[in-house]
Amino acid sequence: MDIQLESKRSLSRILESIDLSAMTKADQKIFMARINEHFPRLFSLLFDIYGQRYDFYYYLNQLVISLANGFSERSRKLKNKDKKRLSDPLWYKNQNMLGMACYVDLFAGDLKGLVAKIPYLQSLGVTYLHLMPLYDSPKGDSDGGYAVSDYRKVNESLGSSADLEKLAKALSDKGISLVLDFVFNHTSDEHQWAKLAKAGHSEFQDYYYMFDDRTLPDQYEQNLREIFPQVRRGNFSWNDDAQKWVWTTFNNFQWDLNYSNPAVFNAITSEMLYLANIGCEVLRLDALAFIWKEMGTSCENQHKAHLLIQAFNCCLQISAPAVVFKSEAIVHPDEVVKYIDKDECQLSYNPLLMALIWNSLATRKTRLLTESMQKSFSISPNCTWVNYVRGHDDIGWTFDDSVAWHIGINGTDHRHFLNQFYTGRFEGSFASGVAFGENPSTGDCRVCGSLASLAGLEQALQQNNQQLIDHAVARILLVHGIILSIGGIPLLYSGDELGLLNDYSYRQDETKKHDDRWVHRIAIDDQAIANSKCEKSPQFEVSMGLEKLIKLRKRLPILGDAETHILVTNDQHIFAYVRHDAQGESLLALCNFSDHAQEADGKVLDHISHGACRDLISETRLTSSHNNIMLDPYQIMWIVRD
């Protein structure tokens, strides 16, 4: 088959059958231009996935109707935003970008309260606000909101959909992009689709993976890993109402969607466009590695998962091109980069950088960080990383074992060490973390904790040791200094800018005590903000130090759209990289991961200048590459030509 010719014929037939008269003439022109541009690729992708089905063309026709409706329902303000973003497609690479992630209830109580917190966000310099799931979800345990019962209904404890639209507008008016989760791998078992499936409707049972007996689940299970083994074993749950086994990768109340059914793709596209039309500018693709199932495989990172994401991206380019995707793939580094492309996910979390920053803090050594970043940091110039030090989830050690072996590190043993270190079980550890998902069979786990507690502040305050407090504060500023300068959107998790410590109160909550991730999902009240303004407190030092770094970043275009080169230094404790932009400007970053002063070879300055230089953070002049550079414990330098 000639795919291009068939695509052209199909689009012609579809457009003859749908009514665009509700659009203005100008909008019809825009829609027609976009669908003519993007439909051939969309057709090719969907044909690869669903072309063998007899009803392929029916679902294709229905999809185009949804795209037209989504475009038609988009407000004039958002259509103007589409035009603006298309004229500046790399807007997310600007040095002005600063992200924050938070739970609405923990940060502001509800959506109306969040509107009132916009001045606080502005004072920090936030231009990108990621709200953890705020959709309707089951009462009690809902996996932190990641079990969605209705994509179009806000959790009533947070407000209404109208409140969300008002918030999106208020944020946009202040230059802050709204980021929402697109939980598209699964729904909750209380979603209307799941309720109908439980009631025996075969149409909606096909929206999920449902089985009469264990024959097929057992065959799939041979190649699947367990995500939450401390909660339950296996990937399938028995449902009494439907009298069937249901595929539930994460929790028994989260039912995996069946993307081999094109009706599911169309239905989820409609939900995606609804979120886009609220005013969301970035959609975080939750659990994207799991969306395609293939017998005999791990059912992670499958080829058709990529095709599906690219098809969703095509749909956005037609109906809401201002919206971009952010990949959440906490998988092997070689798999992470496969999701990053202008036609797939324009943004991506950088879990490798996150994990290896913590590794270097624990070991005080940077070789694994350096070699891993040299291999994996470079991505398409049309895309960018979202760099973070920790998030709402646990920390897993996702480094590449082959890189580790190359420098003499046994990956399995080293992960065990890191888990021991960050849960405070390793002698001499400064960290106060909590084990999460500990596998009773292997002893493997992941780590939870606020940034300040993991960086040693909790323990230092308990010991009332000023040197340990100083080191903890310096660690916090060091790791933020890296994500602010290495290239990409720096993402803060709310509370970290205030130096907040672990909150253990979740252990008294029946709906949360089984999930140790709540230890670092900390409520931000006015008192916490006030404490950060109390001079001479470590929280004040964290707050003021971070404020200085953020303001400095925003003044430096070199920290925006510029290349990053990871350097090898003569000191195993120093991590270094240089930024170069198209205008010929350069910046060198030196990062000391040791709790002792280190001496860097002054020749490293030759990467940016053969003359005098200065560190913008300490405002220190570095006169010559013939002189070595002294770095204090955990010091970071941003060096430019003088």
Side-chain angles (χ1 to χ4, degrees):
M1 177 190 291
D2 184 331
I3 290 292
Q4 292 299 315
L5 179 59
E6 184 61 23
S7 164
K8 186 176 180 179
R9 289 173 175 169
S10 297
L11 181 59
S12 178
R13 289 195 298 266
I14 291 169
L15 292 176
E16 287 175 2
S17 68
I18 65 175
D19 182 9
L20 302 180
S21 62
M23 299 182 193
T24 65
K25 294 295 184 183
D27 279 352
Q28 285 184 35
K29 184 177 180 181
I30 292 170
F31 180 77
M32 290 297 295
R34 288 193 197 147
I35 201 160
N36 278 306
E37 178 182 357
H38 297 288
F39 185 82
R41 176 167 170 77
L42 179 61
F43 178 90
S44 177
L45 290 165
L46 294 177
F47 190 85
D48 280 351
I49 302 168
Y50 303 118
Q52 78 285 358
R53 293 181 59 114
Y54 76 92
D55 50 6
F56 170 69
Y57 290 96
Y58 166 78
Y59 284 108
L60 191 65
N61 187 87
Q62 295 302 111
L63 177 62
V64 174
I65 292 173
S66 291
L67 297 178
N69 290 339
F71 174 77
S72 183
E73 292 164 5
R74 199 155 167 79
S75 71
R76 183 55 51 193
K77 181 177 181 180
L78 291 177
K79 287 175 179 173
N80 290 338
K81 177 64 70 70
D82 291 333
K83 183 178 180 181
K84 179 181 177 182
R85 294 302 194 217
L86 287 170
S87 67
D88 181 23
L90 301 182
W91 59 273
Y92 40 76
K93 298 189 76 171
N94 191 283
Q95 81 276 8
N96 190 54
M97 294 300 296
L98 177 71
M100 175 171 279
C102 68
Y103 280 94
V104 174
D105 56 338
L106 297 177
F107 183 67
D110 57 21
L111 292 168
K112 290 179 179 177
L114 190 47
V115 172
K117 285 285 186 74
I118 290 177
Y120 173 71
L121 297 171
Q122 289 182 282
S123 72
L124 290 172
V126 171
T127 58
Y128 164 117
L129 182 65
H130 178 185
L131 303 182
M132 296 294 111
L134 41 69
Y135 315 110
D136 187 38
S137 58
K139 298 291 187 287
D141 189 8
S142 63
D143 189 23
Y146 284 92
V148 177
S149 299
D150 191 335
Y151 296 93
R152 303 189 183 214
K153 182 181 178 184
V154 170
N155 188 308
E156 61 184 17
S157 67
L158 303 178
S160 66
S161 296
D163 292 331
L164 180 57
E165 289 190 56
K166 290 176 183 176
L167 172 65
K169 182 180 183 302
L171 290 170
S172 179
D173 289 345
K174 299 299 182 182
I176 301 174
S177 297
L178 175 62
V179 185
L180 295 176
D181 283 277
F182 188 33
V183 187
F184 73 136
N185 175 71
H186 48 261
T187 72
S188 90
D189 60 354
E190 294 181 4
H191 193 285
Q192 184 63 23
W193 303 337
K195 288 180 178 178
L196 290 168
K198 290 178 192 177
H201 290 258
S202 59
E203 175 187 353
F204 289 97
Q205 288 186 345
D206 286 344
Y207 271 46
Y208 303 96
Y209 291 91
M210 306 183 78
F211 307 91
D212 293 326
D213 57 43
R214 287 287 311 190
T215 303
L216 288 175
D218 286 343
Q219 291 177 33
Y220 277 111
E221 203 76 79
Q222 294 176 25
N223 297 286
L224 304 180
R225 65 185 174 110
E226 295 173 318
I227 305 302
F228 295 144
Q230 82 285 5
V231 176
R232 63 179 177 82
R233 310 312 297 267
N235 289 266
F236 298 85
S237 302
W238 176 255
N239 183 263
D240 279 331
D241 292 332
Q243 288 291 292
K244 290 181 182 291
W245 289 94
V246 184
W247 198 317
T248 55
T249 297
F250 297 100
N251 290 286
N252 59 8
F253 50 83
Q254 290 169 296
W255 289 15
D256 285 40
L257 287 163
N258 176 13
Y259 279 100
S260 68
N261 179 0
V264 171
F265 179 87
N266 286 6
I268 289 294
T269 297
S270 293
E271 305 306 308
M272 176 182 73
L273 295 180
Y274 172 80
L275 297 176
N277 287 345
I278 282 177
C280 174
E281 295 185 40
V282 180
L283 285 169
R284 169 192 175 273
L285 301 188
D286 178 66
L288 79 175
F290 296 86
I291 61 173
W292 188 264
K293 322 297 188 191
E294 197 80 53
M295 180 70 81
T297 74
S298 67
C299 296
E300 297 180 40
N301 304 305
Q302 297 302 298
H303 173 64
K304 286 188 178 179
H306 292 280
L307 299 185
L308 283 166
I309 297 165
Q310 291 168 33
F312 282 124
N313 192 314
C314 270
C315 292
L316 283 178
Q317 296 309 309
I318 295 167
S319 295
V323 182
V324 296
F325 282 153
K326 176 169 63 173
S327 164
E328 187 256 357
I330 313 302
V331 292
H332 189 281
D334 291 348
E335 295 295 335
V336 171
V337 297
K338 293 178 182 178
Y339 294 95
I340 307 170
D341 188 87
K342 70 180 180 65
D343 294 326
E344 197 159 338
C345 294
Q346 298 92 334
L347 312 181
S348 175
Y349 282 119
N350 195 344
L352 182 61
L353 176 66
M354 180 273 297
L356 293 182
I357 282 175
W358 288 111
N359 170 74
S360 290
L361 286 176
T363 62
R364 280 76 162 178
K365 296 180 181 179
T366 62
R367 192 175 174 192
L368 183 56
L369 173 61
T370 296
E371 295 214 6
S372 298
M373 289 300 102
Q374 285 184 322
K375 177 176 185 266
S376 301
F377 192 82
S378 180
I379 55 175
S380 164
N382 296 307
C383 302
T384 199
W385 291 112
V386 176
N387 297 314
Y388 64 115
V389 184
R390 67 108 180 174
H392 74 285
D393 237 333
D394 51 277
I395 297 174
W397 312 112
T398 57
F399 56 82
D400 186 335
D401 280 16
S402 65
V403 175
W405 272 115
H406 180 252
I407 59 175
I409 294 174
N410 180 305
T412 300
D413 292 346
H414 196 62
R415 288 184 180 89
H416 178 72
F417 156 72
L418 290 170
N419 284 330
Q420 295 293 104
F421 186 94
Y422 281 107
T423 56
R425 302 169 183 173
F426 189 84
E427 185 176 355
S429 169
F430 51 71
S432 299
V434 177
F436 173 73
E438 200 152 17
N439 191 316
S441 301
T442 65
D444 187 30
C445 71
R446 298 187 291 278
V447 173
C448 301
S450 76
L451 190 154
S453 289
L454 291 175
L457 187 56
E458 182 175 330
Q459 184 185 117
L461 289 171
Q462 289 171 350
Q463 296 181 20
N464 194 27
N465 184 312
Q466 189 58 51
Q467 184 183 52
L468 296 183
I469 291 172
D470 292 343
H471 281 175
V473 170
R475 289 186 196 102
I476 294 169
L477 296 178
L478 168 65
V479 299
H480 279 123
I482 293 171
I483 67 170
L484 285 163
S485 61
I486 196 169
I489 299 173
L491 180 67
L492 312 178
Y493 188 83
S494 64
D496 288 347
E497 82 282 8
L498 304 173
L500 296 190
L501 305 179
N502 287 345
D503 180 359
Y504 300 99
S505 64
Y506 75 100
R507 292 173 175 170
Q508 280 71 56
D509 187 330
E510 289 297 323
T511 67
K512 296 178 179 177
K513 67 180 184 180
H514 68 282
D515 187 344
D516 291 298
R517 290 173 298 180
W518 286 104
V519 74
H520 57 235
R521 297 170 180 174
I522 307 164
I524 314 298
D525 55 23
D526 292 339
Q527 186 60 50
I529 295 173
N531 289 343
S532 71
K533 301 183 184 303
C534 179
E535 293 188 27
K536 298 184 179 179
S537 71
Q539 286 79 13
F540 177 79
E541 293 180 47
V542 168
S543 180
M544 291 299 100
L546 188 52
E547 179 181 318
K548 177 182 177 180
L549 291 173
I550 291 169
K551 287 181 177 178
L552 187 54
R553 169 189 163 85
K554 288 176 178 282
R555 297 201 304 266
L556 298 171
I558 186 64
L559 297 184
D561 189 2
E563 294 182 356
T564 301
H565 300 281
I566 310 299
L567 307 179
V568 175
T569 72
N570 68 320
D571 189 313
Q572 63 180 341
H573 305 293
I574 295 175
F575 177 54
Y577 47 92
V578 64
R579 308 290 310 278
H580 295 299
D581 68 15
Q583 289 69 46
E585 296 298 320
S586 299
L587 179 144
L588 168 68
L590 298 178
C591 316
N592 179 13
F593 274 89
S594 171
D595 43 14
H596 298 284
Q598 298 297 318
E599 192 171 0
D601 188 337
K603 292 180 181 178
V604 72
L605 297 177
D606 291 341
H607 287 282
I608 61 169
S609 173
H610 293 288
C613 299
R614 58 193 169 93
D615 170 30
L616 297 173
I617 298 174
S618 66
E619 301 179 359
T620 301
R621 197 162 186 268
L622 306 170
T623 55
S624 170
S625 62
H626 299 296
N627 299 320
N628 287 346
I629 304 166
M630 294 300 299
L631 289 96
D632 291 333
Y634 300 114
Q635 183 178 1
I636 181 170
M637 290 182 169
W638 293 351
I639 302 171
V640 297
R641 288 188 290 266
D642 200 357

